[in-house]
Amino acid sequence: MRYFLPLATLLLPSILASPLSTRDSDDPLPLIIWHGLGDSYASEGQKGVAELAEEVNPGTYVHIVRLDENPDNDSRATFFGNLTLQIEQVCEDIAKHPILSTAPGINALGFSQGGQFLRGYIERCNNPPVKNLVTFGSQHNGISKYQTCGPVDFVCKAWQALLNGNTWSDYVQSHLVPAQYFRTTDDTTGAPSDEYLEHSNFLADINNERKSKNVTYAKNLAALDNLVLYVFGDDTTVVPKESGWFAQVNATSDEVTHLRNRTIYKEDWIGLKKLDEKGGLHFKTTEGGHMQLSDKVLKEAFGTYFSPKVSSVWEKAKPWVEEVIEL
Ligand SMILES: *[C@@H]1O[C@H](CO)[C@@H](O)[C@H](O)[C@H]1NC(C)=O
Ligand SMILES: *[C@@H]1O[C@H](CO)[C@@H](O)[C@H](O)[C@H]1NC(C)=O
Ligand SMILES: *[C@@H]1O[C@H](CO)[C@@H](O)[C@H](O)[C@H]1NC(C)=O
Ligand SMILES: *[C@@H]1O[C@H](CO)[C@@H](O)[C@H](O)[C@H]1NC(C)=O
Ligand SMILES: *[C@@H]1O[C@H](CO)[C@@H](O)[C@H](O)[C@H]1NC(C)=O
């Protein structure tokens, strides 16, 4: 694949532009994957997931999102950077990518924070448009606590001290990635805090929580075929884990308010209600702690949501069915 790519990159636009070529409806859509905190696009884990996607749906072109071609710098960008700029960069890369940009649509797979960042891509750019987004252990309703550090992890501790003291400063909001999806609420009313609404550089915007709502965000999310939200049953890294379902959790009583009972859904700020009403919103649980993924779970997800078969079987049968109906 590695050697094939440059050639395909050169040839594909001209093949697709030729009037004789048509895309086979059996071809799976390309897949983009956005990895999680600390990972890089070139890691063994990401390569394994890409191979699995090709195995389940042969012919899948996989692109792993990166913010830098240097893997160390790509990994660094999961901790440091301004998400507005990071998402803009990914939007540009994908829009000018020779293979992705010529596809009629793409599928998307987000691991942990990569899940809400792909939602950012869909809401703000969506060019080419995403058809199915699957997220594993993501923080769609933010986090209310930062991950705990190991006892001798001094870098982590120093980083946390900075976050805890200054989460809402402009410096932290434009430099430390997890701070941009940190979310605080009022203990008695459950409403998002004023500081969060005023300073959150990513989540408050992408969830349309501020007074002025961006209708494009809602339109783009509602246009998905499927949004599939996996939560890890024993996740202790993401607090609260139900954030992966857009649920709200009372930090004192642990009471969980399901998305369907929240204002973001009832007033349909980001299109989730519309998507749910057409059967496109799926809440799933998978066993294990944060990102303890088995091939079995991934294969199931790829086979169910990224397979071209489901629609193409119907496409092929349709003329025949219509003929029978006419007779
Ligand atoms: C990685 O980032 C550092 C710091 O920004 C920069 O000096 C270096 O050139 C980058 N490396 C590559 C290969 O891009
Ligand atoms: C809403 O988001 C779209 C896509 O990012 C952007 O082009 C547009 O300017 C935004 N509209 C407002 C009112 O901010
Ligand atoms: C992040 O970058 C955007 C675009 O340059 C800028 O408008 C915004 O102020 C930055 N965010 C913060 C919190 O500095
Ligand atoms: C959260 O739970 C506590 C303890 O049960 C309760 O007093 C408080 O009103 C709850 N907050 C919300 C927003 O429901
Ligand atoms: C929504 O709230 C109502 C009333 O508290 C409750 O009966 C219902 O089960 C909740 N729905 C979901 C999906 O949690």
Side-chain angles (χ1 to χ4, degrees), residues 54 61 109 141 145 163 192 194 211 243 252 260 271 285-286 290:
E54 289 163 5
Y61 175 78
L109 172 65
N141 194 46
K145 217 187 215 172
L163 282 171
D194 291 343
K211 272 211 182 71
S243 183
T252 320
R260 290 187 182 118
T285 309
T286 182
H290 191 61

Side-chain angles (χ1 to χ4, degrees), residues 137-156:
S138 294
Q139 298 88 36
H140 291 297
N141 194 46
I143 47 172
S144 57
K145 217 187 215 172
Y146 294 112
Q147 196 176 334
T148 43
C149 305
V152 290
D153 192 346
F154 296 111
V155 176
C156 176

Side-chain angles (χ1 to χ4, degrees), residues 68-74 76:
D68 201 299
E69 289 301 325
N70 175 289
D72 290 338
N73 283 8
D74 183 48
R76 190 178 182 276

Side-chain angles (χ1 to χ4, degrees), residues 9 16 23 25 68 78 88-89 111 131 139 171 193 196 204 237 267 284-285 294 299 305 310:
T9 306
L16 288 169
R23 211 190 131 83
S25 66
D68 201 299
T78 68
E88 258 173 41
Q89 185 187 328
F111 292 123
K131 298 295 179 189
Q139 298 88 36
Y171 180 82
S193 70
Y196 164 77
T237 304
E267 294 183 0
K284 306 245 181 203
T285 309
S294 68
K299 279 183 176 173
Y305 298 105
V310 186

